[in-house]
Amino acid sequence: MEELLKLLESFHALAADLHKHLLHNLPREVHWANKTILEEGQVCDWIAFVEKGLLKIYNEWKDGTERIIWFHKEGDIIGSMKSYYRNEPSQLTIQTLQETHIRKIKKTDLEEIYRKYPEFNINGRKITEDYYVLSEDHAILLSMSARERYEKLERDYPWILDDHRIKDYMLAEYLNMSKATLSKLRNGRK
């Protein structure tokens, strides 16, 4: 919980009573590996902070092929944002890749906090800005060649390449390339 509070404080100071409220009203959820915490078709009425673990966000194509959209690790905020903001069924699935601990807040509870502590809207806006930057980076990544995608990840998100919890087949799937192409890029071959 301390990491979440530090993150929030880095955006804007929290009122003492809000700090206390968050400490007592965001219980830790523990999920085992390979647990789906949001299924495609469900409405995502929550956002969560990842305290420990690794998750993948993906969608499934009509032929059953899974397409990884992003990985989230400790310190990240997760959710299906389109579903969350528009109150419509998610097109994404969120699944743990290992035991994962999260702090989840329901949309109705967050809206109440915004009403009661208007200054907390600054914290929410900053989180939204960070998430939007991540989304734009992902959209740009999709328009690049295989080599450019790999180099962008190497430059901007090296943790994804270095994290032993992300297997090569998952990384290849995320980068939309074959495992052989990924292997060549990892080994510096053209």
Side-chain angles (χ1 to χ4, degrees), residues 18-153:
L18 174 58
H19 189 274
K20 185 178 177 181
H21 176 82
L22 293 173
L23 275 173
H24 296 293
N25 292 289
L26 294 179
R28 175 185 290 136
E29 290 185 11
V30 177
H31 299 281
W32 300 107
N34 302 313
K35 170 84 164 79
T36 299
I37 62 173
L38 178 72
E39 287 188 43
E40 182 178 349
Q42 290 179 322
V43 173
C44 183
D45 65 348
W46 53 266
I47 57 174
F49 176 78
V50 182
E51 283 189 326
K52 174 186 174 188
L54 182 70
L55 303 102
K56 65 180 177 179
I57 295 182
Y58 68 93
N59 68 351
E60 200 169 297
W61 291 4
K62 289 179 184 175
D63 67 0
T65 306
E66 184 180 292
R67 181 60 188 264
I68 296 175
I69 306 297
W70 196 249
F71 299 97
H72 284 283
K73 63 179 178 17
E74 297 85 1
D76 287 345
I77 303 291
I78 62 167
S80 173
M81 295 306 154
K82 182 178 178 183
S83 175
Y84 178 83
Y85 287 117
R86 294 196 173 160
N87 198 35
E88 61 186 39
S90 177
Q91 296 175 348
L92 304 173
T93 297
I94 302 176
Q95 184 179 54
T96 63
L97 293 173
Q98 66 173 150
E99 181 181 311
T100 300
H101 301 191
I102 61 173
R103 301 282 180 160
K104 190 187 283 184
I105 187 166
K106 295 282 225 174
K107 185 175 185 176
T108 53
D109 296 337
L110 186 56
E111 292 296 328
E112 182 57 32
I113 289 172
Y114 286 147
R115 279 190 287 281
K116 190 172 179 182
Y117 304 94
E119 68 277 9
F120 192 67
N121 282 278
I122 296 169
N123 304 77
R125 187 192 76 216
K126 290 297 203 177
I127 289 169
T128 303
E129 287 172 5
D130 286 352
Y131 212 94
Y132 186 78
V133 167
L134 191 63
S135 286
E136 188 172 308
D137 257 5
H138 181 74
I140 291 168
L141 189 77
L142 294 175
S143 70
M144 298 175 158
S145 70
R147 175 169 299 284
E148 290 170 329
R149 287 193 302 273
Y150 185 83
E151 289 170 352
K152 180 168 181 52
L153 225 54

Side-chain angles (χ1 to χ4, degrees), residues 68 71 150 160-161 163-175 177-180 182-183 186-187:
I68 296 175
F71 299 97
Y150 185 83
I160 293 176
L161 297 173
D163 195 315
H164 69 279
R165 302 172 296 180
I166 299 173
K167 306 301 180 211
D168 281 350
Y169 77 91
M170 293 177 195
L171 185 58
E173 185 179 299
Y174 167 70
L175 289 170
M177 62 179 63
S178 70
K179 288 189 285 184
L182 176 62
S183 180
R186 277 195 184 270
N187 295 320

